[in-house]
Amino acid sequence: MRIKTIVAAITIIYGTTSPIMAQKTLAEATRGKFLFGVAVNMQQVKGVNPIESDLVAKEFSAIVAENCMKPQPIHPEENKYFWDDADKLVAFGEKNKQVVTGHCLMWHSQIGRWFFVGDSGKTVTPEVLKERMRQHIYEVVGRYKGRVKGWDVVNEAFEDDGTYRKSKFFQILGKDFIKYAFQFAHEADPNAELYYNDYNVEIPAKCDAIVQLVKELKTAGYRIDAVGSQAHMHMDSPTLDETENSFIKLKAAGVKILITEWDISILPSPYSGANISANFKYSKEMDPYRELVPDSVQMKWNKRVLDMFGLFLKYHDVIDRVTIWSLTDNVTWLNNFPIRGRKDYPVLFDRNNQRKSVVEDMIKLAKKH
Ligand code: G3I
């Protein structure tokens, strides 16, 4: 009997072939194009919520720690490391045959205050800070040598206008702190990929500054494999053109691109236009979908996701990984940022751990590329 006849028969009986055809996961649909990852929290790694743990294990080909591998959680005091969570996360990824990447080695946020304070209680000297950076990076990268594919070596070193963020790192060591971080990471694991990671990479001035950094690192002989574009997006920004232009510039700079923290807030942004509310106080109008998301709004969000995903697929020759920043709407950081206590819907699984309808459309779109 011809295959077509069999499939037609199945379709008549089941009304679809999906019960028979194994339902594709995002990881399967994007295989051969780019890794499809998710940021995981420790409740998922430890199985506190087994449904979420199962979804993380099945739907994604890569994982990254949302928090536990950052400087402060993993190295809370100069002579004290907390490895337990990071060890469990790496083991979780290995058990599920997923690629594990490290986030993040040097970041001005979520880093112990001790890092920048000398014995005298004053600001640490450049030499001491450089040595502390080396020790931190050697310890963390060295512990997971050969098990973590690559590291966000430096996170968020630029302002949106392309100037260097005046972080403690920058104030004490100047922009060379970046080179030192990449040098130490490479020394600690010569085979690990090394990334620079930032948000708003779609802003031309910021993208140009990052491209300049890439060129300086490469010219000076430092390894840098990719730039991570966090891709924390809103309904109307960044535009597709702004995003594509950043891809074109980064590709021309000779680095791979990672979409490292993708989410698309469905809520009004307090940053938009002149309407910058004084202190981002909670208000009903800034939290309009507490009960439900109107179909018209959901459809706009779905289209926004698909348009961006289609752009990622268009550039899959240079994009190595797309990572969603949180599994479900329940655990997204955006429920409390930039305004605490809102109800956002920025990721691909809903508050009941169900795939949103857009996921099926993403899988169909991926098949066409
Ligand atoms: O673990 C402690 C807990 O012991 C304590 O009781 C609780 C009290 O508030 O805090 C918990 O730590 C929180 C941590 O998330 C783990 O839940 C921190 O307060 C909270 O600030 C931290 O927020 C994280 C944020 O980075 C910190 O800046 C978010 O989960 C995380 O999604 C977010 O991720 C960042 C990326 O790393 C870098 N790019 C931007 C992105 C969004 O800010």
Side-chain angles (χ1 to χ4, degrees), residues 193-225:
E193 292 184 347
L194 305 180
Y195 319 131
Y196 173 79
N197 191 55
D198 215 328
Y199 61 85
N200 289 353
V201 173
E202 304 84 5
I203 295 177
K206 191 165 195 176
C207 191
D208 294 344
I210 292 168
V211 165
Q212 181 56 29
L213 171 67
V214 168
K215 288 178 178 168
E216 288 174 8
L217 286 171
K218 282 177 169 286
T219 305
Y222 293 87
R223 176 172 182 163
I224 177 166
D225 297 275

Side-chain angles (χ1 to χ4, degrees), residues 62-78:
I63 62 170
V64 65
E66 184 177 15
N67 283 294
C68 74
M69 294 175 98
K70 291 171 179 173
Q72 198 283 330
I74 207 166
H75 194 182
E77 296 167 30
E78 184 166 12

Side-chain angles (χ1 to χ4, degrees), residues 249-268:
K249 287 179 180 177
L250 291 170
K251 182 175 180 178
V255 282
K256 291 289 192 175
I257 298 166
L258 308 172
I259 306 299
T260 51
E261 305 181 14
W262 193 30
D263 45 31
I264 300 183
S265 176
I266 208 167
L267 297 177

Side-chain angles (χ1 to χ4, degrees), residues 106-111 116 155-157 165 167-169 199:
M106 292 289 110
W107 188 24
H108 65 277
S109 181
Q110 274 185 294
I111 185 166
F116 306 105
N155 191 40
E156 304 175 8
R165 181 188 299 273
S167 68
K168 290 273 187 191
F169 288 112
Y199 61 85

